[in-house]
């Protein structure tokens, strides 16, 4: 019983060690951290533990300088506070700074700044200002990942599994956030500093303190915000100042009006233009153009006047960028579609003519090219839109490059779609069929009406639509009557009696074709006996015309006229008939019943 109990104890310990970090973690964001965020969690060293790496004899040795920056004194010009901030670990120092500044105690927050480059007589006044400015930037302009801020004295990342045999590597600098200054990235970090005779502390280094005013001037409150009354700037809704919500609504309405005006002006200009490409352009691009112009103006206005702050408005800013990309994608798709329609318009009317295969080829290339370009623009637009979300980019990359079951399932599910798209590209390149071609597919005769991303539409002779996936279409034979030349030869089959005068029928065929306007004289009149059955002979006549449809009508009319000719030739004597021979009781054959009957009719 001792061994199972020990195993249960070990499992319980592992569960507790895994649960403690979750209880001590703070939600990411720019808000003030809870006390749990500043305390040790999940195996991290708290403020009372001294890591072995700190036990060095000389604070200024090269070994010590890897752990901290030694200094003789620290912030001598700052007044003492009743409750000094906890600066023993990076997380506790950052939490103390954010909590103190959020409470308006900027002097206490300034003790987390290294004011070594500020004159002692100015540290009190300038320290409060610098703390207020840095807090604004961290609280409103970035999202702090508290899980990435270690809670160890030495700044090492603790192993939350509790199974690490090697102590974490101590660090001297901890990255907190990143801002931009004049288009260049600027890191906001904490540095470990050791005053003489004291324990090491974590502070914002002089480099960060020096860049804070310039960062605040570029990304701090806008000129409009500084002139608004405190009633609008101090009161908040969802942690966002009231004036920013009001500005968002006003700017959104004004930008929509601006987009509508731009569309109205361009519509007037395009309607007055005689250029062929402007015909119908207003109806194609009006809606996406209004959206794109309005969103771009909205983004410029909120960047110049509002200077959005807070996590919610940062999401609004990101959503605006995504909406701009999607609107631009929508507009690009409409422009591609309009350009394809304009370029293909001259070939559209000629594609019905069997005498113009070049028009059908061009129309097919334009149709497939348009859809391929739309597909590329759509994929690029969605990819650019998702790239603004760091979480989506991370998830997308991990999903793309992982070999997990989800990727395999998606690949199998998309196999049919991708194969049809690739088959459509193959059809566009090799051109087994073109839009307007006369084809016979699996016994169905019709015309190729449309070639899309994944299927071919065949309009049958009776106005039905046959939709065939590209992969299936390429895997099965198809008769293309318009592939090389529109001229077509059609057979006419007749069944007649064995006594039929073939030469007379052949001469009649030549007479009929000479009198028919649809015969193109490419195929000389020809009629042959092609088969014999027990009761009839099969006659095959060949007729030709300039295109498949005309040839079909010609062969049907010739068949009717030859049938009428046989019906009237010798009273229909040469039409198919069945003969019966009578036999008497002794087995002797009697006269041909059919011949006797014919003789009686002649008498």
């Amino acid at each position: 019983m001792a061994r199972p109990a020990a195993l249960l104890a070990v499992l319980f310990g592992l569960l507790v060690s895994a649960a403690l970090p979750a209880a001590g973690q703070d939600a990411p964001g720019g808000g003030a951290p809870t006390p749990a965020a500043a305390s040790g969690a999940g195996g991290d060293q708290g403020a009372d533990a001294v890591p072995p790496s700190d036990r060095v004899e000389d604070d200024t040795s090269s070994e010590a300088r890897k752990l901290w920056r030694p200094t003789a004194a620290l912030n001598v010009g700052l007044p003492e506070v009743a409750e000094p901030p906890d600066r023993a670990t990076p997380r506790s120092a950052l939490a103390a700074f954010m909590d103190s500044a959020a409470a308006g105690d900027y002097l206490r927050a300034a003790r987390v700044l290294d004011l070594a480059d500020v004159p002692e007589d100015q540290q009190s006044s300038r320290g409060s200002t610098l703390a207020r400015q840095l807090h604004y930037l961290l609280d409103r302009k970035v999202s702090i990942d508290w899980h990435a801020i270690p809670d160890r004295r030495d700044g090492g990342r603790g192993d939350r599994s509790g199974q690490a045999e090697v102590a974490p590597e101590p660090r001297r600098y901890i990255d907190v956030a990143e801002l931009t200054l004049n288009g260049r990235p600027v890191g906001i970090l904490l540095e470990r500093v050791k005053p003489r005779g004291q324990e090491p502390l974590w502070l914002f280094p002089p480099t960060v303190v020096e860049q804070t005013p310039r960062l605040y001037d570029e990304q701090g409150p806008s000129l409009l915000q500084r002139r608004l009354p405190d009633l609008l700037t101090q009161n908040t809704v969802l942690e966002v100042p009231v004036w920013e919500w009001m500005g968002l609504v006003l700017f959104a309405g004004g930008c929509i009006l601006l987009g509508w005006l731009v569309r109205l002006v361009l519509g007037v200009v395009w309607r007055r233009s005689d250029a062929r490409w402007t015909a119908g352009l207003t109806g194609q691009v009006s809606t996406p153009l209004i959206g794109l112009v309005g969103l771009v103006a909205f983004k410029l206005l909120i960047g110049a006047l509002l200077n959005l702050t807070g996590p919610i408005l940062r999401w609004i800013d990101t959503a605006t960028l995504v909406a701009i990309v999607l609107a631009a994608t929508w507009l690009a798709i409409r422009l591609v579609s309009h350009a394809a329609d304009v370029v293909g318009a001259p070939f559209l009317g000629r594609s019905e003519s069997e005498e113009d295969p070049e028009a059908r080829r061009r129309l097919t290339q334009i149709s497939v090219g348009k859809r391929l370009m739309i597909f590329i623009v759509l994929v690029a637009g969605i990819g650019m839109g998702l790239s603004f979300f760091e979480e989506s980019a991370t998830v997308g990359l991990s999903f793309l490059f992982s070999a997990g079951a989800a990727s395999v399932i998606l690949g199998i599910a998309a196999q049919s779609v991708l194969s049809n798209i690739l088959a459509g590209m193959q059809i566009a390149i090799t051109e087994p069929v073109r839009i307007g071609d006369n084809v016979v597919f699996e016994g169905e005769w019709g015309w190729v009406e449309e070639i899309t991303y994944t299927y071919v539409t065949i309009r049958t002779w009776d106005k039905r639509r046959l939709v065939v996936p590209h992969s299936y279409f390429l895997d099965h034979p198809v008769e293309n009557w318009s592939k090389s030349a529109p001229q077509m030869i059609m057979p006419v089959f007749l069944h007649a009696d064995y006594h039929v005068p073939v030469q007379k029928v052949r001469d009649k065929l030549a007479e009929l074709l000479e009198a028919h306007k649809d015969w193109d004289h490419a195929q000389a009149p020809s009629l042959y006996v092609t088969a014999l059955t027990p009761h009839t002979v099969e006659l095959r006549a060949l007729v030709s015309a300039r295109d498949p449809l005309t040839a079909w009508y010609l062969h049907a009319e010739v068949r009717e006229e030859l049938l009428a000719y046989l019906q009237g030739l010798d009273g229909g004597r040469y039409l198919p008939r069945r003969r019966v021979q009578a036999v008497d009781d002794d087995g002797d054959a009697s006269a041909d019943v059919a011949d006797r009957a014919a003789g009686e009719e002649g008498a």
Side-chain angles (χ1 to χ4, degrees):
M1 295 295 293
R3 181 173 295 178
L7 291 176
L8 290 176
V10 172
L11 291 175
F12 180 77
L14 292 176
L15 291 175
V16 171
S17 64
L20 283 176
Q25 290 175 356
D26 185 40
T34 62
S39 62
D44 286 345
Q45 291 184 345
D48 296 334
V50 179
S53 60
D54 287 1
R55 298 168 187 168
V56 293
E57 297 181 359
D58 186 1
D59 294 346
T60 61
S61 64
S62 59
E63 181 181 357
R65 289 180 182 274
K66 298 179 181 178
L67 305 175
W68 54 68
R69 174 172 55 86
T71 182
L74 182 65
N75 298 342
V76 179
L78 289 179
E80 295 294 332
V81 293
E83 185 181 354
D86 183 6
R87 299 166 291 177
T89 69
R91 188 183 299 175
S92 64
L94 182 59
F97 175 81
M98 298 298 292
D99 289 344
S100 301
D105 191 354
Y106 296 114
L107 275 178
R108 185 171 183 268
R111 302 190 71 84
V112 190
L113 306 178
D114 189 347
L115 303 175
D117 294 340
V118 179
E120 293 183 9
D121 58 343
Q122 300 179 17
Q123 287 184 358
S124 178
S125 59
R126 290 190 59 189
S128 298
T129 302
L130 291 169
R132 176 178 57 82
Q133 293 176 346
L134 183 58
H135 174 261
Y136 179 92
L137 296 173
L138 293 178
D139 185 57
R140 295 293 182 178
K141 293 301 179 180
V142 298
S143 180
I144 299 175
D145 184 5
W146 289 94
H147 305 316
I149 309 298
D151 200 31
R152 294 176 56 94
R153 283 179 174 269
D154 57 6
R157 294 185 181 275
D159 184 9
R160 298 189 182 278
S161 66
Q163 299 178 357
E165 298 180 357
V166 181
E169 183 72 21
R171 293 186 292 172
R172 178 175 162 180
Y173 296 98
I174 300 296
D175 291 324
V176 176
E178 185 177 89
L179 293 168
T180 57
L181 181 62
N182 298 325
R184 299 179 179 178
V186 175
I188 306 297
L189 48 88
L190 290 168
E191 182 185 17
R192 200 176 188 207
V193 180
K194 189 177 189 309
R196 184 182 302 168
Q198 301 181 29
E199 293 294 329
L201 305 173
W202 287 92
L203 306 171
F204 289 103
T207 54
V208 174
V209 174
E210 179 186 2
Q211 292 171 337
T212 296
R214 287 181 290 170
L215 288 169
Y216 186 79
D217 290 339
E218 182 173 315
Q219 303 195 27
S222 62
L223 181 62
L224 175 63
Q225 180 179 353
R226 297 173 186 176
R227 295 183 177 180
L228 291 174
D230 293 340
L231 178 64
L232 298 179
T233 58
Q234 299 300 326
N235 295 325
T236 61
V237 176
L238 298 177
E239 301 182 359
V240 177
V242 173
W243 79 273
E244 293 187 359
W245 289 117
M246 296 173 60
L248 284 174
V249 174
L250 292 176
F251 287 167
C255 292
I256 292 175
L257 179 61
L258 176 64
W260 183 82
L261 290 176
V262 171
R263 179 258 181 193
L264 183 63
V265 172
L266 290 178
V268 172
V269 174
W270 289 336
R271 281 194 296 269
R272 292 181 178 179
S273 174
D274 296 331
R276 183 167 58 92
W277 64 271
T278 60
L281 185 59
T282 303
Q284 286 275 5
V285 304
S286 58
T287 303
L289 183 62
I290 292 173
L292 181 60
V293 172
L295 288 169
V296 171
F298 181 74
K299 180 67 176 68
L300 294 176
L301 285 175
I302 63 177
L305 298 179
L306 289 185
N307 199 4
L308 298 180
T309 61
I312 295 178
L313 293 183
R314 282 196 297 272
W315 273 96
I316 292 178
D317 188 51
T318 303
T320 303
L321 288 174
V322 174
I324 289 174
V325 172
L326 296 181
T329 303
W330 188 10
L331 180 61
I333 291 175
R334 289 292 185 88
L335 290 175
V336 169
S337 180
H338 179 73
D341 292 342
V342 171
V343 175
F347 305 104
L348 187 61
R350 293 158 48 191
S351 64
E352 297 292 336
S353 174
E354 295 290 345
E355 299 178 356
D356 196 352
E358 180 66 18
R360 297 195 301 274
R361 186 174 71 86
R362 294 293 186 186
L363 194 61
T364 302
Q365 292 175 344
I366 293 171
S367 177
V368 176
K370 178 185 76 172
R371 287 175 170 81
L372 182 60
M373 286 298 300
I374 290 176
F375 179 76
I376 293 174
V377 169
L378 186 61
V379 171
I382 294 176
M384 291 180 62
L386 291 177
S387 67
F388 289 108
F389 296 98
E390 182 179 354
E391 296 82 358
S392 299
T394 304
V395 171
L397 289 176
S398 63
F399 180 79
L400 182 61
F401 293 106
S402 66
S407 299
V408 176
I409 293 174
L410 182 62
I412 295 175
Q415 181 179 3
S416 176
V417 176
L418 293 176
S419 64
N420 280 316
I421 293 176
L422 294 176
M425 296 176 61
Q426 181 180 348
I427 290 176
I429 295 173
T430 60
E431 296 184 351
V433 295
R434 298 158 300 191
I435 294 177
D437 277 359
N438 208 314
V439 298
V440 177
F441 184 75
E442 295 189 339
E444 296 286 353
W445 173 44
W447 294 264
V448 177
E449 186 176 56
E450 186 181 21
I451 301 177
T452 67
Y453 295 112
T454 55
Y455 60 85
V456 176
T457 302
I458 300 175
R459 174 169 52 88
T460 60
W461 64 273
D462 54 355
K463 304 301 182 182
R464 291 179 294 116
R465 265 56 176 185
L466 188 63
V467 179
V468 186
H470 285 325
S471 57
Y472 185 86
F473 187 83
L474 290 178
D475 289 340
H476 292 77
V478 56
E479 293 183 33
N480 190 341
W481 292 358
S482 308
K483 175 63 177 174
S484 57
Q487 189 264 342
M488 188 78 177
I489 298 176
M490 295 287 287
V492 177
F493 292 97
L494 293 173
H495 291 271
D497 187 73
Y498 269 78
H499 294 98
V500 63
V502 176
Q503 186 58 43
K504 285 186 177 181
V505 180
R506 185 178 291 118
D507 295 339
K508 185 61 177 179
L509 172 65
E511 178 187 341
L512 294 174
L513 290 179
E514 289 292 346
H516 213 294
K517 60 181 178 57
D518 290 335
W519 182 47
D520 62 356
H521 298 80
Q523 171 68 34
S526 62
L527 185 141
Y528 299 95
V529 176
T530 55
L532 299 175
T533 68
H535 304 288
T536 63
V537 296
E538 181 186 78
L539 303 178
R540 187 195 68 180
L542 297 179
V543 298
S544 63
R546 63 181 180 275
D547 58 70
L549 184 61
T550 305
W552 192 90
Y553 285 119
L554 176 61
H555 102 286
E557 293 175 5
V558 169
R559 181 169 50 221
E560 292 179 5
E561 292 170 351
L562 288 178
L563 176 60
Y565 173 71
L566 288 178
Q567 289 173 340
L569 184 60
D570 294 341
R573 175 180 176 84
Y574 307 111
L575 293 176
R577 55 175 68 194
R578 183 181 295 272
R579 290 175 171 81
V580 180
Q581 188 175 31
V583 180
D584 57 18
D585 294 339
D586 297 331
D588 296 331
S590 61
D592 191 306
V593 176
D595 289 343
R596 185 167 57 246
E600 292 174 356
E601 292 176 1

